[in-house]
Amino acid sequence: MQAFEYANPATLQEAVAMLGSSWGEADILAGGTDLISLMKDYIHTPKRVVNIKGLKELQGITKTATGLRIGAVVTFDEVAESPLIRSEYPSIVQAVLGVASPQIRNMGTVGGDLCQRNRCWYFRQGFGTLGKDKDGTSLPPIGENRYHAIFPKGDAYFVSASSLGPPLIALGAKVKIAGPSGSREIPVEELFVVPTSNKGREVSLAPNEILTEILIPSARGVRNATYEVRHKQALDWPLATASVALRMKGSTVASAKIVLGHVGPTPVIATEAEALLAGKALTPDLAAEAGKVAVNGAKPLSGNEYKVQLTRVAVKRALMEAMKARA
Ligand SMILES: Cc1cc2nc3c(=O)[nH]c(=O)nc-3n(C[C@H](O)[C@H](O)[C@H](O)COP(=O)(O)OP(=O)(O)OC[C@H]3O[C@@H](n4cnc5c(N)ncnc54)[C@H](O)[C@@H]3O)c2cc1C
């Protein structure tokens, strides 16, 4: 690992001031479950590491007038154990419990989950965010791509790694971001971006910005669920995920949000499937139809066609799970 300066700021303002104005100057350290591996592999070689884990401003889960606030350094374990989250947001609890291993859930934070780097083998081997060769050739389409996107965008074939992204988007959550000129709030779907250069990032944060909290509207009356299809029950990311949030009018769906995870470089909003459900009673057949429609436009690579069927199944099962969930 390259030597670095370690900073332990006492306040959020101090932490922001310690970050650099370009990538590579400083890295934010939360639980370290992704950052430390990136540093050990020389993928990230920051001059300074800024620890945010002790910042009071970033801690705690609290009720707000409109829903819930989760501080960025809250761990997966704290989320899974929170009665406030368990009572209204089963889709979040299901996503968190899917994150493998008690150790990761104990150390990993919600802010770190949203900001973690992608898992593409080429990126992790030093070929840049988009996994390109020196001459600019994209490696995933011509190489190993079994875990890559079935909804690639531009030259981005990696998948967004975050398990929390899909349920937060389905629930209409926002994130609050602090920077040198104050703070701003954006919908979670605007946090995830498709990098256009091999040095670009997967999130829309500037190098000197910190994600400080997640703000989720109340989900009272919203049936929500996440269904992940995984290779195995330990130490791996899902192959395909669907998170759904349904507003019901009696026994029919008034409106639906369906968000697919781990199939594109950003979470994919399945708008066609959402429209299909509106105004209809949700039956297993309709849920299966929504799964089929959700993968319209998928462009699988040579080795990941199987993910199309997994995604159909994830959508169907998430919808059926939501119908069982307490609203
Ligand atoms: C074996 C294994 C299995 C895993 N399985 C899953 C899975 O199924 N689903 C899933 O979603 N994840 C999975 N993960 C990833 C894990 O969730 C992340 O490593 C973790 O959430 C990162 O949180 P952290 O606090 O440790 O972040 P860190 O490692 O400290 O940081 C991660 C990145 O985010 C940046 N960052 C951290 N916090 C902030 C912030 N508040 N503002 C701005 N930038 C920030 C850091 O600079 C760094 O680039 C797995 C990891 C491992 C090792």
Side-chain angles (χ1 to χ4, degrees):
M1 188 187 281
Q2 181 173 286
F4 58 89
E5 182 185 309
Y6 177 74
N8 201 20
T11 65
L12 178 59
Q13 214 181 357
E14 237 178 79
V16 168
M18 285 170 170
L19 296 172
S21 54
S22 57
W23 294 117
E25 286 179 48
D27 265 334
I28 294 167
L29 173 73
T33 58
D34 189 27
L35 182 66
I36 302 301
S37 328
L38 290 162
M39 289 171 67
K40 282 184 179 169
D41 291 340
Y42 291 86
I43 306 298
H44 278 216
T45 51
K47 295 187 182 72
R48 177 184 291 165
V49 168
V50 181
N51 178 19
I52 59 167
K53 200 81 192 278
L55 298 178
K56 287 207 174 53
E57 297 95 323
L58 272 52
Q59 292 169 4
I61 302 174
T62 43
K63 231 173 160 42
T64 65
T66 53
L68 199 75
R69 170 204 168 274
I70 309 179
V73 299
V74 165
T75 63
F76 291 120
D77 268 351
E78 288 176 90
V79 169
E81 283 159 19
S82 160
L84 288 174
I85 298 181
R86 293 174 76 93
S87 61
E88 259 180 67
Y89 307 99
S91 57
I92 295 180
V93 177
Q94 285 151 355
V96 158
L97 291 179
V99 175
S101 98
Q103 292 88 342
I104 300 289
R105 292 198 296 272
N106 184 40
M107 290 299 291
T109 64
V110 294
D113 182 82
L114 294 171
C115 298
Q116 65 179 293
R117 305 299 315 271
N118 79 72
R119 304 300 310 177
C120 165
W121 289 329
Y122 298 102
F123 166 61
R124 297 272 162 175
Q125 293 296 319
F127 289 93
T129 307
L130 299 171
K132 289 190 172 187
D133 208 346
K134 279 197 194 84
D135 64 4
T137 306
S138 290
L139 296 169
I142 55 169
E144 283 290 352
N145 52 40
R146 76 190 86 152
Y147 301 130
H148 283 76
I150 56 169
F151 290 100
K153 283 191 198 154
D155 281 349
Y157 295 94
F158 65 82
V159 298
S160 170
S162 171
S163 286
L164 278 178
L168 291 176
I169 295 171
L171 291 163
K174 292 182 174 182
V175 283
K176 196 165 174 184
I177 295 162
S181 48
S183 69
R184 61 189 177 103
E185 277 175 27
I186 55 168
V188 174
E189 57 263 44
E190 289 176 20
L191 176 69
F192 297 103
V193 290
V194 180
T196 49
S197 91
N198 214 18
K199 290 196 170 144
R201 292 293 176 110
E202 301 85 343
V203 290
S204 60
L205 299 182
N208 51 8
E209 286 186 318
I210 300 177
L211 193 160
T212 56
E213 55 198 48
I214 300 170
L215 301 163
I216 319 174
S218 166
R220 195 147 301 161
V222 180
R223 293 178 173 272
N224 60 95
T226 293
Y227 192 92
E228 296 179 337
V229 185
R230 286 174 171 270
H231 215 171
K232 51 188 166 54
Q233 293 299 313
L235 294 183
D236 227 331
W237 281 254
L239 297 168
T241 300
S243 287
V244 303
L246 306 174
R247 284 179 194 281
M248 305 298 291
K249 194 171 178 193
S251 58
T252 60
V253 177
S255 66
K257 286 298 292 178
I258 304 177
V259 185
L260 313 178
H262 306 99
V263 290
T266 61
V268 175
I269 301 178
T271 44
E272 229 184 300
E274 291 174 353
L276 177 81
L277 299 185
K280 301 195 182 104
L282 187 55
T283 60
D285 284 349
L286 184 63
E289 191 54 33
K292 282 187 197 153
V293 170
V295 294
N296 280 350
K299 290 194 181 76
L301 300 164
S302 56
N304 67 5
E305 173 85 42
Y306 73 99
K307 286 181 73 166
V308 175
Q309 175 60 10
L310 299 190
T311 307
R312 291 188 189 110
V313 170
V315 170
K316 177 183 175 185
R317 293 194 184 168
L319 287 168
M320 297 324 297
E321 189 68 35
M323 293 310 287
K324 283 193 249 154
R326 191 162 11 132

